[in-house]
Amino acid sequence: MHKDIATPIRTQEILKKYGFSFKKSLGQNFLIDPNILRNIVSHANLTENSGAIEVGPGIGALTEHLARSAKKVVSFEIDQRLLPVLEDTLSPYNNVSIVHSDILKADVAKVIADEMPGIEDIMVVANLPYYVTTPILMKLLNDRLPIRGFVVMMQKEVADRITAKPGTKEYGSLSIAIQYYVKADIAMTVPKTVFMPQPNVDSAVIRLIKHGEPPVKVIDEDFLFVVTRASFVQRRKTIYNNLQSGLPNGKAQKDLILEALTAANIEPTRRGETLTIQEFGKLADALHPVFAK
Ligand code: SAM
C-alpha cells in the first residue's frame, strides 16, 4: 500500500512542492488524519463492486481511500490549480477519474452513465466545501441520480438541522426537504484538529440513505416544499399565522387555510416544528386545490 496523502507531513510536502495556497472562498479545509478517512469510508459500506462520487478531492486525501475500497471513483473539483497535484498524488490508482467542474453545474447523471457503466451500487462520499453544502445536497437529490445515498462531512450545525426530528429546535424546512428523499443520521462528529487549515466551525459526518418509497405520498412535491417553507418563516408563530403570511394571498383566504388544517387534523395553534412529514403531506394536499399554482 502507498503512503497516505492525509498525514500532516505528507500534506505539507505536497503543498510545498506545488506552492499551493488555500482558498477560503472555496471551502478548502483538507483532512490530515487517515483514521478519520477510514471511518468516513467505512460508513459508506462500499464493496469492490461499488462506485463512489466525490465532491472536491482537494489533494486526494479521501479520494485515495475511496480508490482502495471501491471499483471506480469519480471526483469533481472546481479548482484548476489542484489538477496537476491530483495527477501526481493519485498516480498509483488507475480507478479514479477527476472531472474539472463546479459540481453545481455538472451533468452528474451523464458522468455516472459514462464513467460507471454496469456499476449498481453508487455512493456520494465527500468532505464538502461548507459554503455550498445545502445547494450541493439539494442538487444531487433533485437530479434523481442512481445512487444509494451519501456519506458527507459538513458543518455540524447544518448536520444537526438536516437530521433533526420533529419537536426539536433544529427541525425545519431543511430537515423536511432532505428527509423527504433520504433517511438521515449523524455518523460521527469530528474535531477541528483533523483539518488543515482548521475550520472555524465544528464538523460532523452524516449518512443519508435513499428511501425506497417517499415517506408520504402527495399530489405535488414542489407544493409540499412551498407549504413547509411557509410554515417555518417565523418559528415562534403558529402554523395558521405562518400560512396566512407565507401562502400567496393567504391573508384574504384565512378561512380556507383553517378548513385545510381541520381537514388534515392539525390544530391551528400548533407550530411548524411539531409537524411530522406525514402531517405536512396531508396539509399540503388539503391546501393544494386553493393555493397551488
Ligand atoms: N476532499 C479533500 C479533503 O478532504 O482533504 C478536500 C475537501 S475541501 C473541504 C473541499 C474541496 O471542494 C476543495 O478541494 C475545493 O476546491 C472543492 N470545491 C469547492 N467548491 C466546489 C464546487 N462548487 N464544485 C466542486 N468542487 C468544489
Side-chain angles (χ1 to χ4, degrees):
M1 197 174 302
H2 299 273
K3 231 174 32 170
D4 271 350
I5 295 167
T7 62
I9 291 173
R10 177 105 197 272
T11 298
Q12 288 284 15
E13 274 171 15
I14 295 165
L15 298 177
K16 199 162 159 223
K17 177 170 171 193
Y18 288 91
F20 184 83
S21 53
F22 294 101
K23 269 199 190 150
K24 228 179 167 180
S25 61
L26 290 179
Q28 291 179 337
N29 299 93
F30 295 170
L31 285 166
I32 49 165
D33 182 338
N35 288 320
I36 292 283
L37 291 162
R38 269 191 287 277
N39 262 326
I40 294 174
V41 175
S42 77
H43 282 293
N45 290 328
L46 301 171
T47 73
E48 67 272 16
N49 295 319
S50 303
I53 306 282
E54 188 190 14
V55 181
I59 60 171
L62 175 59
T63 325
E64 85 172 341
H65 281 260
L66 293 170
R68 290 175 191 156
S69 299
K71 181 165 192 180
K72 175 80 197 185
V73 183
V74 179
S75 287
F76 293 84
E77 177 55 62
I78 197 171
D79 187 349
Q80 182 156 23
R81 299 173 307 153
L82 289 166
L83 302 184
V85 185
L86 289 162
E87 177 115 7
D88 177 6
T89 57
L90 297 175
S91 60
Y93 307 95
N94 59 11
N95 59 343
V96 179
S97 300
I98 304 292
V99 180
H100 178 216
S101 162
D102 177 347
I103 187 72
L104 296 175
K105 297 189 181 141
D107 185 346
V108 183
K110 181 169 185 315
V111 172
I112 290 177
D114 291 348
E115 297 279 345
M116 297 182 168
I119 295 190
E120 284 177 8
D121 179 60
I122 302 175
M123 286 293 280
V124 175
V125 187
N127 172 19
L128 292 173
Y130 292 180
Y131 74 104
V132 273
T133 298
T134 309
I136 290 174
L137 288 180
M138 292 320 299
K139 177 209 159 50
L140 296 178
L141 288 167
N142 288 326
D143 279 358
R144 312 281 161 148
L145 304 172
I147 59 174
R148 173 159 55 87
F150 304 73
V151 172
V152 279
M153 175 99 76
M154 61 185 59
Q155 185 175 344
K156 177 158 187 306
E157 188 224 308
V158 180
D160 286 338
R161 286 198 281 130
I162 287 176
T163 58
K165 300 274 177 291
T168 63
K169 71 175 193 316
E170 291 80 16
Y171 182 69
S173 52
L174 179 63
S175 325
I176 295 160
I178 302 261
Q179 292 174 32
Y180 180 75
Y181 298 103
V182 294
K183 178 176 171 297
D185 64 4
I186 294 198
M188 57 180 171
T189 53
V190 178
K192 292 188 175 109
T193 48
V194 300
F195 298 92
M196 185 188 289
Q198 295 189 16
N200 297 324
V201 294
D202 290 326
S203 300
V205 174
I206 67 170
R207 183 175 33 205
L208 307 175
I209 302 296
K210 276 208 316 207
H211 298 305
E213 292 285 324
V216 59
K217 284 219 174 353
V218 289
I219 302 169
D220 179 345
E221 285 178 1
D222 290 339
F223 186 64
L224 168 66
F225 300 127
V226 170
V227 171
T228 55
R229 276 196 301 272
S231 303
F232 287 100
V233 169
Q234 288 196 277
R235 294 189 69 93
R236 281 170 310 157
K237 284 197 170 177
T238 65
I239 184 138
Y240 183 36
N241 264 319
N242 267 329
L243 291 174
Q244 286 176 54
S245 359
L247 289 175
N249 211 12
K251 285 248 181 323
Q253 307 189 76
K254 281 158 81 147
D255 297 349
L256 293 173
I257 295 176
L258 200 54
E259 266 177 40
L261 284 163
T262 309
N265 221 355
I266 295 161
E267 284 289 328
T269 52
R270 283 173 66 185
R271 288 187 295 170
E273 68 196 48
T274 68
L275 269 69
T276 62
I277 292 196
Q278 286 75 13
E279 288 180 308
F280 273 117
K282 272 194 220 157
L283 178 59
D285 280 0
L287 291 164
H288 189 269
V290 182
F291 293 98
K293 291 222 178 91

mmCIF file of all heavy atoms in Angstrom, residues 160-185:
data_model
loop_
_atom_site.group_PDB
_atom_site.id
_atom_site.type_symbol
_atom_site.label_atom_id
_atom_site.label_comp_id
_atom_site.label_asym_id
_atom_site.label_seq_id
_atom_site.Cartn_x
_atom_site.Cartn_y
_atom_site.Cartn_z
ATOM 1 N N ASP A 160 -26.935 18.981 12.076
ATOM 2 C CA ASP A 160 -27.994 18.874 13.090
ATOM 3 C C ASP A 160 -29.349 19.245 12.500
ATOM 4 O O ASP A 160 -30.365 18.627 12.808
ATOM 5 C CB ASP A 160 -27.696 19.798 14.288
ATOM 6 C CG ASP A 160 -26.571 19.250 15.152
ATOM 7 O OD1 ASP A 160 -26.306 18.036 15.095
ATOM 8 O OD2 ASP A 160 -25.959 20.035 15.894
ATOM 9 N N ARG A 161 -29.360 20.260 11.652
ATOM 10 C CA ARG A 161 -30.647 20.675 11.064
ATOM 11 C C ARG A 161 -31.150 19.633 10.061
ATOM 12 O O ARG A 161 -32.336 19.320 9.999
ATOM 13 C CB ARG A 161 -30.503 22.045 10.384
ATOM 14 C CG ARG A 161 -30.399 23.164 11.424
ATOM 15 C CD ARG A 161 -30.699 24.503 10.839
ATOM 16 N NE ARG A 161 -29.577 25.038 10.099
ATOM 17 C CZ ARG A 161 -29.626 25.524 8.873
ATOM 18 N NH1 ARG A 161 -30.783 25.555 8.210
ATOM 19 N NH2 ARG A 161 -28.555 25.983 8.285
ATOM 20 N N ILE A 162 -30.230 19.076 9.273
ATOM 21 C CA ILE A 162 -30.637 18.089 8.260
ATOM 22 C C ILE A 162 -31.217 16.834 8.907
ATOM 23 O O ILE A 162 -32.181 16.259 8.421
ATOM 24 C CB ILE A 162 -29.425 17.735 7.360
ATOM 25 C CG1 ILE A 162 -29.144 18.915 6.424
ATOM 26 C CG2 ILE A 162 -29.671 16.453 6.575
ATOM 27 C CD1 ILE A 162 -27.911 18.726 5.559
ATOM 28 N N THR A 163 -30.619 16.411 10.033
ATOM 29 C CA THR A 163 -31.026 15.140 10.641
ATOM 30 C C THR A 163 -32.069 15.316 11.748
ATOM 31 O O THR A 163 -32.453 14.336 12.383
ATOM 32 C CB THR A 163 -29.789 14.425 11.247
ATOM 33 O OG1 THR A 163 -29.177 15.297 12.218
ATOM 34 C CG2 THR A 163 -28.747 14.087 10.194
ATOM 35 N N ALA A 164 -32.541 16.554 11.961
ATOM 36 C CA ALA A 164 -33.406 16.828 13.122
ATOM 37 C C ALA A 164 -34.755 16.122 13.048
ATOM 38 O O ALA A 164 -35.325 15.927 11.969
ATOM 39 C CB ALA A 164 -33.618 18.336 13.252
ATOM 40 N N LYS A 165 -35.249 15.775 14.231
ATOM 41 C CA LYS A 165 -36.571 15.147 14.348
ATOM 42 C C LYS A 165 -37.594 16.216 14.759
ATOM 43 O O LYS A 165 -37.224 17.221 15.388
ATOM 44 C CB LYS A 165 -36.532 14.059 15.427
ATOM 45 C CG LYS A 165 -35.526 12.937 15.145
ATOM 46 C CD LYS A 165 -36.142 11.868 14.271
ATOM 47 C CE LYS A 165 -35.187 10.758 13.891
ATOM 48 N NZ LYS A 165 -34.102 11.166 12.971
ATOM 49 N N PRO A 166 -38.902 15.969 14.455
ATOM 50 C CA PRO A 166 -39.931 16.927 14.860
ATOM 51 C C PRO A 166 -39.866 17.199 16.361
ATOM 52 O O PRO A 166 -39.482 16.329 17.139
ATOM 53 C CB PRO A 166 -41.239 16.215 14.514
ATOM 54 C CG PRO A 166 -40.895 15.176 13.520
ATOM 55 C CD PRO A 166 -39.462 14.813 13.738
ATOM 56 N N GLY A 167 -40.221 18.425 16.737
ATOM 57 C CA GLY A 167 -40.260 18.775 18.155
ATOM 58 C C GLY A 167 -38.936 19.292 18.688
ATOM 59 O O GLY A 167 -38.839 19.624 19.855
ATOM 60 N N THR A 168 -37.913 19.363 17.841
ATOM 61 C CA THR A 168 -36.628 19.907 18.296
ATOM 62 C C THR A 168 -36.419 21.287 17.674
ATOM 63 O O THR A 168 -37.053 21.613 16.670
ATOM 64 C CB THR A 168 -35.455 19.005 17.862
ATOM 65 O OG1 THR A 168 -35.407 18.979 16.422
ATOM 66 C CG2 THR A 168 -35.625 17.580 18.374
ATOM 67 N N LYS A 169 -35.509 22.053 18.254
ATOM 68 C CA LYS A 169 -35.350 23.417 17.737
ATOM 69 C C LYS A 169 -34.581 23.434 16.414
ATOM 70 O O LYS A 169 -34.646 24.399 15.668
ATOM 71 C CB LYS A 169 -34.738 24.346 18.784
ATOM 72 C CG LYS A 169 -33.289 24.142 19.115
ATOM 73 C CD LYS A 169 -32.866 25.262 20.073
ATOM 74 C CE LYS A 169 -31.368 25.371 20.264
ATOM 75 N NZ LYS A 169 -30.625 24.122 20.454
ATOM 76 N N GLU A 170 -33.898 22.341 16.097
ATOM 77 C CA GLU A 170 -33.170 22.284 14.816
ATOM 78 C C GLU A 170 -34.081 21.907 13.645
ATOM 79 O O GLU A 170 -33.724 22.073 12.487
ATOM 80 C CB GLU A 170 -32.026 21.253 14.881
ATOM 81 C CG GLU A 170 -30.874 21.634 15.794
ATOM 82 C CD GLU A 170 -31.162 21.369 17.258
ATOM 83 O OE1 GLU A 170 -32.121 20.618 17.547
ATOM 84 O OE2 GLU A 170 -30.451 21.921 18.116
ATOM 85 N N TYR A 171 -35.253 21.346 13.952
ATOM 86 C CA TYR A 171 -36.148 20.818 12.907
ATOM 87 C C TYR A 171 -36.773 21.973 12.125
ATOM 88 O O TYR A 171 -37.306 22.916 12.708
ATOM 89 C CB TYR A 171 -37.228 19.992 13.586
ATOM 90 C CG TYR A 171 -38.232 19.312 12.688
ATOM 91 C CD1 TYR A 171 -37.870 18.247 11.868
ATOM 92 C CD2 TYR A 171 -39.567 19.706 12.695
ATOM 93 C CE1 TYR A 171 -38.818 17.599 11.094
ATOM 94 C CE2 TYR A 171 -40.528 19.047 11.918
ATOM 95 C CZ TYR A 171 -40.139 17.995 11.114
ATOM 96 O OH TYR A 171 -41.078 17.346 10.355
ATOM 97 N N GLY A 172 -36.684 21.896 10.792
ATOM 98 C CA GLY A 172 -37.245 22.960 9.977
ATOM 99 C C GLY A 172 -37.402 22.523 8.536
ATOM 100 O O GLY A 172 -37.341 21.320 8.232
ATOM 101 N N SER A 173 -37.570 23.497 7.631
ATOM 102 C CA SER A 173 -37.857 23.132 6.241
ATOM 103 C C SER A 173 -36.685 22.382 5.598
ATOM 104 O O SER A 173 -36.891 21.543 4.725
ATOM 105 C CB SER A 173 -38.230 24.363 5.421
ATOM 106 O OG SER A 173 -37.265 25.364 5.580
ATOM 107 N N LEU A 174 -35.438 22.640 6.076
ATOM 108 C CA LEU A 174 -34.297 21.895 5.519
ATOM 109 C C LEU A 174 -34.375 20.411 5.918
ATOM 110 O O LEU A 174 -34.135 19.530 5.088
ATOM 111 C CB LEU A 174 -32.965 22.503 5.985
ATOM 112 C CG LEU A 174 -31.712 21.792 5.479
ATOM 113 C CD1 LEU A 174 -31.603 21.857 3.949
ATOM 114 C CD2 LEU A 174 -30.443 22.369 6.112
ATOM 115 N N SER A 175 -34.743 20.137 7.175
ATOM 116 C CA SER A 175 -34.892 18.743 7.614
ATOM 117 C C SER A 175 -35.879 18.014 6.704
ATOM 118 O O SER A 175 -35.647 16.871 6.284
ATOM 119 C CB SER A 175 -35.429 18.656 9.051
ATOM 120 O OG SER A 175 -34.945 19.695 9.856
ATOM 121 N N ILE A 176 -36.985 18.682 6.401
ATOM 122 C CA ILE A 176 -38.034 18.035 5.611
ATOM 123 C C ILE A 176 -37.618 17.906 4.153
ATOM 124 O O ILE A 176 -37.822 16.867 3.527
ATOM 125 C CB ILE A 176 -39.349 18.818 5.752
ATOM 126 C CG1 ILE A 176 -39.801 18.734 7.211
ATOM 127 C CG2 ILE A 176 -40.426 18.261 4.839
ATOM 128 C CD1 ILE A 176 -40.774 19.791 7.614
ATOM 129 N N ALA A 177 -36.979 18.971 3.621
ATOM 130 C CA ALA A 177 -36.552 18.924 2.217
ATOM 131 C C ALA A 177 -35.608 17.744 1.985
ATOM 132 O O ALA A 177 -35.608 17.129 0.921
ATOM 133 C CB ALA A 177 -35.856 20.231 1.837
ATOM 134 N N ILE A 178 -34.791 17.410 2.967
ATOM 135 C CA ILE A 178 -33.839 16.304 2.806
ATOM 136 C C ILE A 178 -34.480 14.969 3.190
ATOM 137 O O ILE A 178 -34.377 13.983 2.463
ATOM 138 C CB ILE A 178 -32.583 16.556 3.675
ATOM 139 C CG1 ILE A 178 -31.929 17.888 3.300
ATOM 140 C CG2 ILE A 178 -31.635 15.369 3.598
ATOM 141 C CD1 ILE A 178 -30.764 17.858 2.397
ATOM 142 N N GLN A 179 -35.177 14.947 4.335
ATOM 143 C CA GLN A 179 -35.718 13.671 4.823
ATOM 144 C C GLN A 179 -36.879 13.160 3.970
ATOM 145 O O GLN A 179 -37.289 12.015 4.101
ATOM 146 C CB GLN A 179 -36.139 13.795 6.287
ATOM 147 C CG GLN A 179 -34.949 13.978 7.221
ATOM 148 C CD GLN A 179 -35.346 14.236 8.665
ATOM 149 O OE1 GLN A 179 -36.366 13.736 9.139
ATOM 150 N NE2 GLN A 179 -34.554 15.019 9.371
ATOM 151 N N TYR A 180 -37.401 13.999 3.088
ATOM 152 C CA TYR A 180 -38.385 13.514 2.126
ATOM 153 C C TYR A 180 -37.732 12.468 1.196
ATOM 154 O O TYR A 180 -38.361 11.516 0.788
ATOM 155 C CB TYR A 180 -38.927 14.689 1.305
ATOM 156 C CG TYR A 180 -39.943 14.277 0.277
ATOM 157 C CD1 TYR A 180 -41.238 13.939 0.658
ATOM 158 C CD2 TYR A 180 -39.605 14.203 -1.072
ATOM 159 C CE1 TYR A 180 -42.169 13.533 -0.284
ATOM 160 C CE2 TYR A 180 -40.536 13.804 -2.014
ATOM 161 C CZ TYR A 180 -41.815 13.467 -1.607
ATOM 162 O OH TYR A 180 -42.736 13.063 -2.545
ATOM 163 N N TYR A 181 -36.446 12.659 0.902
ATOM 164 C CA TYR A 181 -35.751 11.763 -0.040
ATOM 165 C C TYR A 181 -34.962 10.655 0.645
ATOM 166 O O TYR A 181 -34.735 9.603 0.069
ATOM 167 C CB TYR A 181 -34.754 12.563 -0.897
ATOM 168 C CG TYR A 181 -35.378 13.624 -1.760
ATOM 169 C CD1 TYR A 181 -35.313 14.964 -1.403
ATOM 170 C CD2 TYR A 181 -36.027 13.286 -2.945
ATOM 171 C CE1 TYR A 181 -35.884 15.950 -2.199
ATOM 172 C CE2 TYR A 181 -36.597 14.261 -3.742
ATOM 173 C CZ TYR A 181 -36.519 15.589 -3.362
ATOM 174 O OH TYR A 181 -37.088 16.555 -4.151
ATOM 175 N N VAL A 182 -34.449 10.933 1.863
ATOM 176 C CA VAL A 182 -33.485 10.021 2.484
ATOM 177 C C VAL A 182 -33.735 9.854 3.978
ATOM 178 O O VAL A 182 -34.296 10.724 4.625
ATOM 179 C CB VAL A 182 -32.040 10.563 2.329
ATOM 180 C CG1 VAL A 182 -31.580 10.592 0.887
ATOM 181 C CG2 VAL A 182 -31.904 11.939 2.964
ATOM 182 N N LYS A 183 -33.254 8.719 4.499
ATOM 183 C CA LYS A 183 -33.159 8.544 5.951
ATOM 184 C C LYS A 183 -31.848 9.190 6.358
ATOM 185 O O LYS A 183 -30.801 8.896 5.761
ATOM 186 C CB LYS A 183 -33.152 7.048 6.249
ATOM 187 C CG LYS A 183 -33.015 6.705 7.702
ATOM 188 C CD LYS A 183 -33.134 5.174 7.850
ATOM 189 C CE LYS A 183 -32.797 4.723 9.250
ATOM 190 N NZ LYS A 183 -31.416 5.002 9.659
ATOM 191 N N ALA A 184 -31.892 10.078 7.371
ATOM 192 C CA ALA A 184 -30.703 10.884 7.675
ATOM 193 C C ALA A 184 -30.251 10.662 9.099
ATOM 194 O O ALA A 184 -31.058 10.745 10.024
ATOM 195 C CB ALA A 184 -31.038 12.366 7.472
ATOM 196 N N ASP A 185 -28.972 10.346 9.295
ATOM 197 C CA ASP A 185 -28.453 10.355 10.665
ATOM 198 C C ASP A 185 -26.997 10.811 10.718
ATOM 199 O O ASP A 185 -26.300 10.835 9.704
ATOM 200 C CB ASP A 185 -28.662 9.010 11.378
ATOM 201 C CG ASP A 185 -27.897 7.874 10.744
ATOM 202 O OD1 ASP A 185 -27.140 8.126 9.788
ATOM 203 O OD2 ASP A 185 -28.040 6.736 11.216
#
